[in-house]
Amino acid sequence: MAGGVGSRFWPASREAKPKQFLDIMGDGRSLLRLTFERFLRVTTADKIFVVTNGRYRAQVLEQLPELDGGQILCEPSRNNTAPCVAYTAFKLHGLDPDANIVIAPSDALILNEGLFADNVNKALDFTAANDALVTLGIAPDRPHTGYGYIQFADALGRDGVYPVRRFAEKPDLVTAQSFLSSGDYLWNAGIFVWRAKTVLSAYERYAPEIYALLSHGLPCYNTPEEQAFIDEFYPQTPSISVDYAIMEHADNIFTIPAQFGWSDLGAWGALYQESPKDGAGNVVAGGPILLEDVHNSYVRGPEGKLLVIGGIDDLMVIDEGDVLVVYPRSREQEIKALRERAEKEF
Ligand code: GDD
Ligand code: MG
């Protein structure tokens, strides 16, 4: 899935080039490219599909030249992940009725890629044999309200696969704190494994509107009519995430607690946490930057411009194109709203 806007990474992430297409980590590869290469440990390039907004098709092909145009599923509108997952399932079910699928975001950082591949393979073995919706779980270390929480039945697990009692998407802080202290909750990594037919049954039951709209296309998937069908009907699907539409309701969810070192690169703070710091706790990225008496800050500047910054603590300074943002690091979540305000007012 590479169709989000990444608005909390503004001003680096823009409508025309959202964060999944950016070299956020600074190693020359975009988040999409990193995700693609990670999956080459699990499968071959011909079995990797990218589902994104149609306007990003050329960028995907440029960053993943191994792909054939037919491996890019183009959405005409942004309707969040539930319609995106359903479209993918219908299409892949048409290619192979037993298709066993991994759905993954393109914006996560995963440190131990070998362990990641082991966990994904274990999930694929499980879903090949069971009508199960599997999600990889991460041990939580704080009451983050931007994630899904998975309550798993520890005593019932076999071979590292545990039945899920409850899935709660983006709880409020008090609820998140109670989940954390109860000790039997994991974060949802947003990496799902299931057979196409299993997830389509879940849509039929829990998201009948999406199922009805997209099942009309059955004669069109994988034919020259597919795009015309999607262009006409996809925009009519309700805009909702797969977490709310399916995962909060289904009763055949399982989780594999994963230990591969995961971070959702959701906002600037996550990037600061994951990056190497200088002696004063600063992360410096991009072009020439001179710091004097600066501590615990994230500073990112363009190649051809010298930034000289002094006497600040705990800020993020992001100079990108026609926008400069100087903001407290602890208030990173406000960036999304600020971007909207900036767009309206200027
Ligand atoms: N193709 C497509 N179309 N992709 C989309 C769309 C869309 O309309 N909307 C979002 N995506 C992509 C994003 O680019 C990202 O890679 C992924 O789907 C997940 O979307 P986010 O918007 O980043 O979701 P989230 O972070 O709020 O929540 C999800 O991820 C968390 C972990 O990072 C949920 O699954 C949570 O439960 C989970 O904890
Ligand atoms: Mg996310």
Side-chain angles (χ1 to χ4, degrees), residues 8 19 107 264 266:
R8 276 169 297 220
K19 71 170 171 186
D107 57 355
D264 162 71

Side-chain angles (χ1 to χ4, degrees), residues 9 19-25 29-36 38 63 106-109 265:
F9 265 107
K19 71 170 171 186
Q20 58 270 27
F21 302 114
L22 302 175
D23 171 19
I24 289 274
M25 299 306 297
R29 293 175 294 173
S30 69
L31 293 177
L32 175 69
R33 182 77 212 170
L34 289 170
T35 306
F36 174 77
R38 189 178 307 134
Q63 296 193 355
S106 52
D107 57 355
L109 178 68
L265 289 175

Side-chain angles (χ1 to χ4, degrees), residues 36 39-40 43-50 66-68 70-72 92 95:
F36 174 77
F39 274 101
L40 289 179
T43 188
T44 47
D46 59 310
K47 294 204 176 67
I48 299 179
F49 294 77
V50 177
E66 295 92 336
L67 296 193
D68 175 85
Q71 289 165 264
I72 303 171
L92 298 185
L95 288 175

Side-chain angles (χ1 to χ4, degrees), residues 136-181:
L136 302 187
I138 306 293
D141 60 15
R142 57 193 191 284
H144 198 293
T145 54
Y147 297 151
Y149 284 72
I150 307 164
Q151 186 185 32
F152 67 112
D154 203 355
L156 300 176
R158 282 192 19 219
D159 302 328
V161 186
Y162 298 87
V164 170
R165 292 212 167 98
R166 179 174 173 208
F167 185 103
E169 179 66 5
K170 298 188 176 36
D172 60 32
L173 186 61
V174 174
T175 313
Q177 268 154 350
S178 75
F179 288 167
L180 202 67
S181 46

